[in-house]
Amino acid sequence: MIEIKSKREIELIKEACRIVALVHKKMEEIIKPGISTYELDQIAESIIRENGGIPAQKGYPSYQKGVMDFPSTICASVNDEVIHGIPSKRVHLKTGDIVSIDLVALKNGYHGDAARTYIVGEASSEAKRLVEVTRQAFFEGIKFAKPGYRIGDISHAIGEYVSKNGYSVVKEFQGHGIGLKMHEDPGIPNYGKEGRGPRIEKGMTLAIEPMVIAGKSDICELEDGWTIVTEDGSLSAHYENTILVTENEPKVLTIL
Ligand code: MF3
Ligand code: CO
């Protein structure tokens, strides 16, 4: 069931999203060669808490038996890591790396979710192009996040834009509705067919999140039970915002 949010709920989701946007603003400022992903995680957690929020990814349960809960505020996924990288004191960013930071803030019962891929120092033109295509894929997708379209229209637009640019989308993970829960209906794949899937309606809040691989679409999971990496070792990028569907253009809630 896809929840249509009330005015009150939308205000609460906006507030959670504002906190997520603040954290990303800080991440963009401080991501430099030498900083560890653990330091980024500590700073992200402080900003969320200073704003009366809770880091919703910290303690998030794995769907797999015997795998620890997610231990951190942010997911920090470097280079060939696609998503769900675990911050570490041992991982220091270096020039030329790309790092995807994904985080969810919870406040007054409601969630906001956004991810960005940051370039550390100077990157190759290929890395820069991957990051830019991933970001633009989101904006191609949300052209269809309006009443009158279906979820498949968003999925199709993202998938087509990515493949047209010579890259692959990840098939095993997808965007999602968001609100009282981090992951709500509908699932929003990054590939699909036009005119398929649930109808899009005013008052839906959706986390739309292209996950793009420079090489082949195959992925594997590391021993930690969380980190997803590309099978061919190629680079991967992630770009996500929480949006609100309105009568007209969607509102991107995680950009200030
Ligand atoms: N923020 C992620 C998403 O976009 C969820 C991360 S899984 C967690 O759906 F364990 F880190 F929470
Ligand atoms: Co996310």
Side-chain angles (χ1 to χ4, degrees):
M1 225 266 290
I2 305 179
E3 306 281 349
I4 301 298
K5 272 70 178 187
S6 67
K7 258 187 99 177
R8 174 187 154 270
E9 289 184 292
I10 289 166
E11 286 315 307
L12 296 174
I13 292 167
K14 276 187 182 162
E15 171 58 12
C17 288
R18 185 188 67 85
I19 299 172
V20 172
L22 282 179
V23 174
H24 274 298
K25 193 164 160 264
K26 187 69 173 185
M27 296 291 110
E28 188 176 14
E29 268 169 43
I30 63 176
I31 288 177
K32 299 244 157 57
I35 197 162
S36 70
T37 54
Y38 173 82
E39 289 171 88
L40 298 176
D41 188 67
Q42 296 301 298
I43 291 163
E45 179 166 355
S46 315
I47 296 171
I48 293 173
R49 294 198 190 278
E50 279 161 19
N51 284 277
I54 294 165
Q57 294 188 155
K58 197 168 184 169
Y60 194 78
S62 168
Y63 63 93
Q64 297 180 86
K65 258 177 84 182
V67 171
M68 63 175 172
D69 297 345
F70 194 78
S72 314
T73 294
I74 62 170
C75 300
S77 311
V78 184
N79 295 335
D80 64 328
E81 295 174 353
V82 181
I83 49 169
H84 302 169
I86 299 173
S88 164
K89 287 182 179 166
R90 293 190 309 273
V91 178
H92 290 264
L93 298 174
K94 48 188 200 317
T95 193
D97 284 345
I98 59 173
V99 59
S100 302
I101 307 289
D102 187 3
L103 68 125
V104 181
L106 168 64
K107 186 170 172 180
N108 296 321
Y110 287 84
H111 294 82
D113 187 358
R116 307 272 181 267
T117 300
Y118 297 100
I119 285 170
V120 185
E122 282 294 309
S124 67
S125 53
E126 191 47 27
K128 284 191 230 168
R129 193 175 78 89
L130 173 69
V131 169
E132 181 47 33
V133 166
T134 306
R135 192 190 80 93
Q136 188 57 34
F138 165 85
F139 287 99
E140 296 299 320
I142 67 165
K143 289 178 182 170
F144 299 92
K146 293 179 198 173
Y149 292 107
R150 290 176 184 260
I151 294 297
D153 295 313
I154 299 175
S155 300
H156 175 80
I158 292 172
E160 284 299 296
Y161 182 77
V162 168
S163 55
K164 192 178 79 188
N165 279 283
Y167 297 140
S168 314
V169 293
V170 173
K171 298 238 164 67
E172 293 83 349
F173 295 90
Q174 59 183 4
H176 48 91
I178 182 165
L180 276 173
K181 290 190 289 176
M182 184 191 300
H183 294 130
E184 298 184 353
D185 285 342
I188 311 171
N190 290 309
Y191 66 98
K193 294 207 169 84
E194 291 167 291
R196 303 282 181 92
R199 291 179 192 282
I200 296 167
E201 285 170 46
K202 178 183 165 190
M204 289 180 177
T205 45
L206 307 172
I208 295 176
E209 49 177 320
M211 289 159 260
V212 179
I213 298 179
K216 289 206 262 99
S217 70
D218 307 76
I219 54 169
C220 346
E221 186 183 272
L222 298 188
E223 300 280 276
D224 60 23
W226 283 102
T227 314
I228 302 297
V229 299
T230 63
E231 197 177 88
D232 63 10
S234 63
L235 294 177
S236 179
H238 187 194
Y239 186 87
E240 172 182 31
N241 286 300
T242 298
I243 66 157
L244 168 67
V245 178
T246 74
E247 275 152 316
N248 308 303
E249 296 305 310
K251 278 208 176 79
V252 180
L253 306 181
T254 39
I255 297 179
L256 287 178

